[in-house]
Amino acid sequence: MTTALVLGAGGTVGMAYHAGVLKALADAGIDPAASDLIVGTSAGSVMGALIRSGWTADDLWAASQGSHPILFKDPDQRRQTIRAPAWRTGLGLARRLVGASWVMSRSVLRWPPVHIPAPLGRLYPGGLASGTEMRADLANVLGEGWPAEPLWLCTIDIHSGKRIVLGRRGPSNLPLPDAVRASTAIPGLYPPVRYGRMVLVDGGAHSTTNADLAARVDPSLVIVVAPMCIDPSDAPPPLGRFGRNLPSRSLANEVRQLRAKGIDVLLLRPCAEEIGAHGLDLMRVHGTETLAAAARASAARILDSDVGQRLTSS
């Protein structure tokens, strides 16, 4: 059976969710690393790259529980890595606010319809947080080269507005840590990554899952882990749906496309109680251990269900 694994966006909360779900898959005898294709977006690109670089579901689970370093450092170190300010002076902050506003506008609204020359872009950098520490951490755990097994990382080129899937045509010329940085470059927060003439940001600006890409390898089964989406059978109250309705509609459309091709799809999404625990700050650094544990338990219930058993054993 050909299997594709789709790992969606969700910040540090999403990474904890992925750690729990991947552990549940491994507990059920499904090795994430054995997937014929891994599609990663934002937080999912980090987890997908780790898996393809030899880190196991057990490693990622241990990391989420604080008993393994990888990228899950203690909260204070983690905060310094993911939220390190990129400015030193008031003028520096002002320049970055201008650059960040332009990047956000181009990423979300595709406006203004002009390109900023590279020298001007360097004068007005497009990210409030520094990516230096993150890049060093990624290089330390991933190395620089791409894995042999298929790994597709989703980004957006803010010049063209097109989705750019790094790794789709084989290992990219962009080093793996930089490809992951591009896929996690939340517009306005992290600086874009330049790749040739392209300026790349978080692929979540197109879709938090990008599950439609999995059809390119004609899989028998697509397993979608979607931290930012809602399970309609266990939906949270209206406040808990904030920021999740659009990703959920996008995923539903992608799943329809896959199923129309006769592809089985297993969806793993947080339940209402989990979404309540996720909160609104998806980049927070505290309490992720309990989020991972809840995700593991929730995913285990789905995998033990009749639907889960049928899909994963066919």
Side-chain angles (χ1 to χ4, degrees):
M1 179 172 68
T2 303
T3 303
L5 177 63
V6 174
L7 304 177
T12 53
V13 167
M15 290 175 65
Y17 181 83
H18 280 304
V21 172
L22 293 171
K23 176 60 174 170
L25 288 169
D27 291 340
I30 304 167
D31 180 8
S35 302
D36 296 279
L37 168 67
I38 295 179
V39 177
T41 302
S42 201
S45 72
V46 179
M47 305 305 278
L50 286 167
I51 291 168
R52 283 297 196 225
S53 297
W55 300 97
T56 68
D58 286 341
D59 291 331
L60 299 179
W61 169 255
S64 76
Q65 301 304 298
S67 57
H68 194 299
I70 310 184
L71 294 173
F72 298 88
K73 300 176 180 179
D74 69 71
D76 290 335
Q77 288 179 305
R78 204 182 317 170
R79 183 187 300 105
Q80 292 172 9
T81 298
I82 68 174
R83 291 185 173 176
W87 72 89
R88 296 179 182 274
T89 66
L91 178 58
L93 173 58
R95 286 176 173 173
R96 287 189 173 272
L97 285 171
V98 171
S101 298
W102 185 83
V103 169
M104 290 181 66
S105 182
R106 283 295 305 168
S107 301
V108 179
L109 303 175
R110 308 289 186 260
W111 188 91
V114 294
H115 297 170
I116 290 183
L120 194 59
R122 286 191 288 270
L123 184 62
Y124 296 97
L128 298 178
S130 171
T132 304
E133 296 84 354
M134 184 181 298
R135 207 280 179 197
D137 275 3
L138 289 169
N140 185 49
V141 297
L142 301 176
E144 297 288 338
W146 281 71
E149 297 300 317
L151 172 67
W152 296 0
L153 304 182
C154 300
T155 70
I156 293 291
D157 174 20
I158 60 175
H159 284 339
S160 67
K162 294 180 180 179
R163 176 174 64 181
I164 305 298
V165 185
L166 300 170
R168 192 170 74 184
R169 293 179 175 84
S172 169
N173 292 330
L174 191 65
L176 183 57
D178 293 310
V180 173
R181 279 202 312 122
S183 185
T184 58
I186 300 171
L189 179 59
Y190 293 117
V193 173
R194 291 188 175 272
Y195 182 35
R197 295 186 178 181
M198 297 183 291
V199 178
L200 305 178
V201 297
D202 195 320
H206 176 85
S207 164
T208 64
T209 44
N210 292 286
D212 58 300
L213 289 170
R216 307 289 177 91
V217 297
D218 194 24
S220 307
L221 172 66
V222 178
I223 300 174
V224 182
V225 187
M228 291 188 67
C229 295
I230 296 169
D231 182 349
S233 68
D234 190 4
L239 183 60
R241 300 174 200 168
F242 179 78
R244 294 177 182 265
N245 286 324
L246 183 59
S248 298
R249 287 196 293 269
S250 180
L251 174 59
N253 182 55
E254 293 162 6
V255 170
R256 281 193 294 270
Q257 293 178 48
L258 293 171
R259 288 176 172 162
K261 298 177 183 293
I263 300 170
D264 284 328
V265 182
L266 176 61
L267 296 172
L268 298 168
R269 299 162 292 186
C271 64
E273 183 178 356
E274 288 177 276
I275 290 174
H278 287 184
L280 298 178
D281 181 8
L282 298 183
M283 294 299 291
R284 77 176 195 267
V285 297
H286 289 279
T288 53
E289 301 91 336
T290 58
L291 301 182
R296 179 182 180 184
S298 178
R301 288 192 294 271
I302 295 172
L303 292 167
D304 286 340
S305 69
D306 291 340
V307 173
Q309 292 285 340
R310 178 181 65 81
L311 290 176
T312 56
S313 62
S314 61

